[in-house]
Amino acid sequence: MDTDVLIVGAGPTGMTLANELLIAGVSTVLADKLSQRSDLSRAGGVQSRTLEALDQRGLLEPLLATGEHPAITGHFAGIPLPHDANRHRLPWRSVPQVVIEEFFEQHLAAHGLHVRRDHELVALAQDDDGVTAAFANGATLRSRYLVAADGAHSAVRSLLRAGFPGQPGTLTIAAADVRLGGVDAPTSHTWNEDGHWAAVFPLGTDPQGRQLHRLVLGGPGRSLPRDIPVTEDEIRHGLSTVFGPRVHLLELRYARRITNASRQVEQYRHGRVFLAGDAAHVHLPLGAQGMNTGMQDALNLGWKLGAAVHGWAPENLLDTYHAERHPAGAAVLRNVRAQSLLMDWAGTRDPEVLAAREIFTAMAQLPDTQRHLADLMSGMAIRYPLHGTEAHSLVGRPAPDLDLGPARVHELLRSGHGILLDPGDTFAGVAGPWSDRVDRVGQGARTEPMLIRPDGYVCWAGAADPEPALNRWFGEPR
Ligand SMILES: Cc1cc2nc3c(=O)[nH]c(=O)nc-3n(C[C@H](O)[C@H](O)[C@H](O)COP(=O)(O)OP(=O)(O)OC[C@H]3O[C@@H](n4cnc5c(N)ncnc54)[C@H](O)[C@@H]3O)c2cc1C
């Protein structure tokens, strides 16, 4: 083997996974076809759960220190979700994808993991022991596992002939990075009576300290083929159609057309090959979910691959990646479809849609509804279908960030180990044999007993014997 894991694609999904494998102590090659990092402006919003996960790896503070990354208001179908509906420790932040990628690339390089650029994967073959990958530059590489993080047009997915069912794109909207004059709210979705609409989100400031915005424009007649460039005139016209003279374009930095294609790969695992991020799911970027979902795929898969490479993965641990992340991805696709309908982003002005939107908007003012939507859109609503979910409400959910006295849960997770919270100090004997992969926190943990996986999800809680759960998730003891 040349390496334990080959990751194809150094976008946010591939880089997050590389960091997980670094923490797990697994040799990794991260290959990308580009000769330098992409400067395409795409994601801008980072959800609460992704921020929590970055904090659990000690990366949140340094990432936020890279510039001005304001807290932003989440939304569902353009209906704002106020911060107080957001019960989560960390509110959404505006951090451009290019900043995240640069941050991760530097962080990985500082730990000796350099992206292998100009490495376009063009062929792969797998057998019982590993995967052989071939690159357009003539290089080949043999690894135990391969992860496709090569984006929406994934070459790996095509080479595997993996089923990728869903709906093809039927319409486009224009998305642009701009400087605007006359914006009076940090985040807004505005519709006019003819069905034209504009969404405006803060994107931080440029080096001169000037405010940048992401602008998305849609409505009747706005759907043009993807290869037709978005022009300044088109942006100016779109702004004046929605806002009149109030909001105007100061500068157009970058623009592209995005489609409403919605697809998800049938199987996230193909033997020794795994699909993650946009390679596994594509949808309209409504509510800042694509990059976040890909990073969560990586966090779910990383420690499991680590366990497999180190030889302690219980049988079927690698299969739980599909079992947990396919439903999570499907749920994202469903909420994007609902948002797309309610936003009437094609500008149909269909009376049935408008009526549904009116009722939904009124319901979205109710505190319980706001909390439900805020959970959904912050990535916190995910509950993995783990054994024991029927027995305890915490199982399958992100662990609460409890203060355990000497440290908080997110600080303990930085080790990349599992954590057994054992307030009664009763499980020292049971947990001892797993001490190389599970850290036990005894007295001082003012909580009920629970077992937390390295990705921060509770996999057992309650008063019963944790040994079966230790076996199920952390394999045979030493
Ligand atoms: C306008 C816009 C706004 C968006 N806003 C948000 C947002 O606010 N929040 C959010 O969460 N998401 C958002 N998204 C979605 C987000 O950008 C994607 O979901 C995200 O980039 C997916 O990351 P990834 O790493 O899976 O794939 P990518 O970012 O596409 O990375 C794939 C990498 O693989 C490389 N690659 C491709 N083929 C090969 C090959 N054969 N060999 C080697 N390397 C290869 C590519 O060069 C690339 O570096 C937005 C998207 C758009 C278009």
Side-chain angles (χ1 to χ4, degrees), residues 47 49-50 52 87-88 281 289 292-297 299-300 321 323-332 334-335 372-386 389 393-399 453 455-458:
Q47 299 172 333
R49 179 65 197 138
T50 309
E52 266 190 15
R87 294 168 289 160
H88 316 303
H281 38 74
Q289 300 187 86
N292 286 273
T293 307
M295 291 170 78
Q296 293 299 332
D297 290 344
L299 291 153
N300 185 289
Y321 171 61
E324 294 170 13
R325 292 308 299 169
H326 190 280
V332 169
R334 281 198 302 278
N335 87 46
H372 174 78
L373 294 174
D375 281 359
L376 194 67
M377 299 311 293
S378 57
M380 304 296 288
I382 289 174
R383 188 173 192 198
Y384 290 144
L386 309 188
T389 45
S393 62
L394 281 175
V395 173
R397 297 190 198 281
R453 306 190 317 193
D455 60 351
Y457 283 79
V458 177

Side-chain angles (χ1 to χ4, degrees), residues 56-138:
Q56 287 166 3
R57 297 299 182 239
L59 297 178
L60 182 61
E61 253 183 64
L63 173 67
L64 295 182
T66 57
E68 195 200 331
H69 303 302
I72 51 174
T73 310
H75 72 91
F76 186 88
I79 303 162
L81 302 170
H83 281 317
D84 50 10
N86 194 333
R87 294 168 289 160
H88 316 303
R89 187 166 66 90
L90 301 165
W92 285 29
R93 292 271 179 171
S94 161
V95 189
Q97 182 166 336
V98 284
V99 172
I100 292 181
E101 290 182 11
E102 181 180 6
F103 171 81
F104 262 112
E105 188 160 4
Q106 289 175 356
H107 172 77
L108 294 171
H111 290 82
L113 206 167
H114 299 271
V115 178
R116 282 196 199 169
R117 298 217 164 265
D118 294 311
H119 273 63
E120 178 178 3
L121 180 129
V122 288
L124 67 88
Q126 59 173 317
D127 52 47
D128 288 349
D129 302 320
V131 187
T132 304
F135 297 91
N137 62 10

Side-chain angles (χ1 to χ4, degrees), residues 8-14 31-34 41-45 97 101 119-121 149-152 155 175 214 256 258 276-279 285 288-294:
V8 183
T13 304
D32 199 287
K33 67 178 180 184
L34 297 178
S41 176
R42 293 197 284 171
Q97 182 166 336
E101 290 182 11
H119 273 63
E120 178 178 3
L121 180 129
D150 52 346
R214 162 72 43 75
R256 65 189 295 173
I258 48 184
D278 277 15
Q289 300 187 86
M291 176 181 75
N292 286 273
T293 307

